[in-house]
Amino acid sequence: MNYGFIKVAAGTPEIRVADCRFNQNNIVSVMKEAGKEGAHLLILPELCLTGYTCGDLFLQETLLKGAVSSLLSIVEETAAFDLVTVLGAPLLHGGKLYNCAVVFAAGKILGVVPKTYLPNYSEFYEQRHFSAAPDDLSEITIGEHTCPFGTNLLFRCREMRAFVLAIELCEDLWAASPPSIRHAGAGATVIANLSASDETIGKEQYRRDLVAGQSGRLICSYIYTDAGDGESTTDMVFAGHNIIAENGIILNESELFQNTVTYAEVDLERLSRERRRITTWAPSDPAGHTSVFFSLPEKKFHLTRAFPMHPFVPADMADRKRRCERILTMQSMGLKKRLAHTNSKTPIVGVSGGLDSCLALLVTARAIDLLNRSRKDVLAVSMPCFGTTIKTRSNARLLAESLGVSFRTIDITAAVRQHFADIGQDETDFSVTYENTQARERTQVLMDLANRENGIVVGTGDLSELALGWSTYNGDHMSMYGVNGSIPKTLVRHLVQYAADSTDDAQLQKTLLGILHTPVSPELLPPSEGQISQKTEDIVGPYELHDFFLYYMIRYGFAPSKIFYLATHAFAGVYTPAVILQWEKVFYRRFFAQQFKRSCLPDGPKVGSVVLSPRGDWRMPSDACVALWLEDLEHISL
């Protein structure tokens, strides 16, 4: 069913207090709208069939009979709708009156959930009219419908096992122990809250935080729907604040004081996977719950939920600046500890004039500042060879000068040629041996310099390169501390941009901007007319695509076909589906083939939720087979 997505709706219909027929007609209108929009689930407010503010009219038999009559008409009139609907109504049961949520679909009432916690303070006086939910499960008969009545009901979709709905009402969420806690523990992935929360100053943000927090705590989708315009304003005003949240994030919410329907697509597959991944999220015994099954046909709907092209990079500029500063601090603090622990005199960074080594040198300068030592203790080393251009060589020197660190140029051309002669490599043969010999020579120089200068080699390779295996084994793949190992390439660029934007040093800013405009390249092949001839993204594909694939593969464990589906939405108009599919296959082939390089990575700080360290978040056999992942992509028709 749409790669684990279902479309949910939180609606606030226009009502008239105690006018059940008027309310019935508007509820059906909202249901029709939600159905046309492709919604699987519609949640309506607390007591919306009568109005929450009926007061002592709830003690009138006429109102209660009118509510039941309108409820039965709604259920019958919408029997052909492919939609699960939950609405609020006052219902008599066992001689008591309850504030209830009624769940129905396909012309059948599936169950009734009474409210557990009845507020009786400040402007609320529900205990005057209603009884709190009984502890036991029973049956209620409404017209010709007989269904379960109780708080511990789970409504399960036969066609989608991950779609398990549970209900609580308004104050239930405000209580110290909300019913949703036990519902989620018993397997509910979607919690619906039917509310009539009046508006007071400051309550909007509190409500928003409460809903988002509960969805995060329970790893669920939480749908909160609120009473709005039409309720009595004798003592209160209702704003219709509808909120749809998923695992701590608000996906969508309504504007206040507008009776409307709010939609979002919730990813139940993601929620189920997160619950499996987080071992401290322990399911409880579902024996105390009763399951009620329903069916929903497969629905096609347009995915409106935003999936950013760059999931590692905050879209909001202020958030991005905060994130960049925090990451640079974490990197430098990690390196500071390593330098202090090893009593290293000289941190050594091989600088190419490119982005990764630029970031590593920025971090190293910060780390030495934290140790209150001279930046001259840092040694930046440029090692030009066959592919080095004047531009990148100049970038390396200017960066070192701008940061005030020591700088040395060691031309490795002669050493590489000697090695070619030793192993019988033809210098005109631009094979992988030609490239890797240079990378390994550079690493040998850095390692031996570290021994000579009583220092450590600070690694420059980033997370994206680790994922693709775009490094030379025991060459640039190796260091004594890798500060960039958990930074994806798309984020490296923004970290360098942040450093350029935040410095007062005009020369440093100019140098950083020059590096930002330099194509990403290992520079292991001779330049063409003085320009870089070997551009990484021409060979392995766009890093923004690979970072997207990496994020959803590692962070959420999505299947390749689902990642492709999300990528076609995120990159619509940027890459064709055929191009996305081409590079996704490359990503999986390289990711599986290159695990052996990740199995022996140097230490480095974890700064995000996606990390490939063999000692931390990612443990994978080096000889795992990629066949199933590629097979999943073969089923895609373009």
Side-chain angles (χ1 to χ4, degrees), residues 64-125:
L64 301 182
K65 286 184 176 180
V68 169
S69 175
S70 289
L71 172 62
L72 292 172
S73 295
I74 292 170
V75 172
E76 181 179 357
E77 187 176 350
T78 59
F81 290 13
D82 296 326
L83 179 69
V84 176
T85 303
V86 188
L87 63 77
L91 294 175
L92 287 167
H93 178 60
K96 295 290 185 179
L97 182 63
Y98 296 94
N99 179 347
C100 298
V102 183
V103 184
F104 59 96
K108 179 183 178 182
I109 299 178
L110 301 174
V112 175
V113 178
K115 189 171 182 176
T116 298
Y117 296 100
L118 303 179
N120 224 57
Y121 57 86
S122 300
E123 64 267 41
F124 304 107
Y125 46 92

Side-chain angles (χ1 to χ4, degrees), residues 546-569:
H546 290 309
D547 283 357
F548 188 92
F549 303 149
L550 176 67
Y551 180 81
Y552 286 104
M553 175 197 179
I554 301 299
R555 179 65 183 85
Y556 295 115
F558 288 165
S561 55
K562 180 169 182 175
I563 296 174
F564 172 80
Y565 174 68
L566 299 180
T568 58
H569 285 274

Side-chain angles (χ1 to χ4, degrees), residues 3 559-565 568 577-578 580-581 584-585 629-638:
Y3 295 100
S561 55
K562 180 169 182 175
I563 296 174
F564 172 80
Y565 174 68
T568 58
I580 293 171
L581 184 59
E584 189 173 0
K585 289 179 179 179
W629 283 260
L630 293 178
E631 182 182 329
D632 187 59
L633 289 173
E634 292 302 325
H635 299 300
I636 294 172
S637 57
L638 298 174

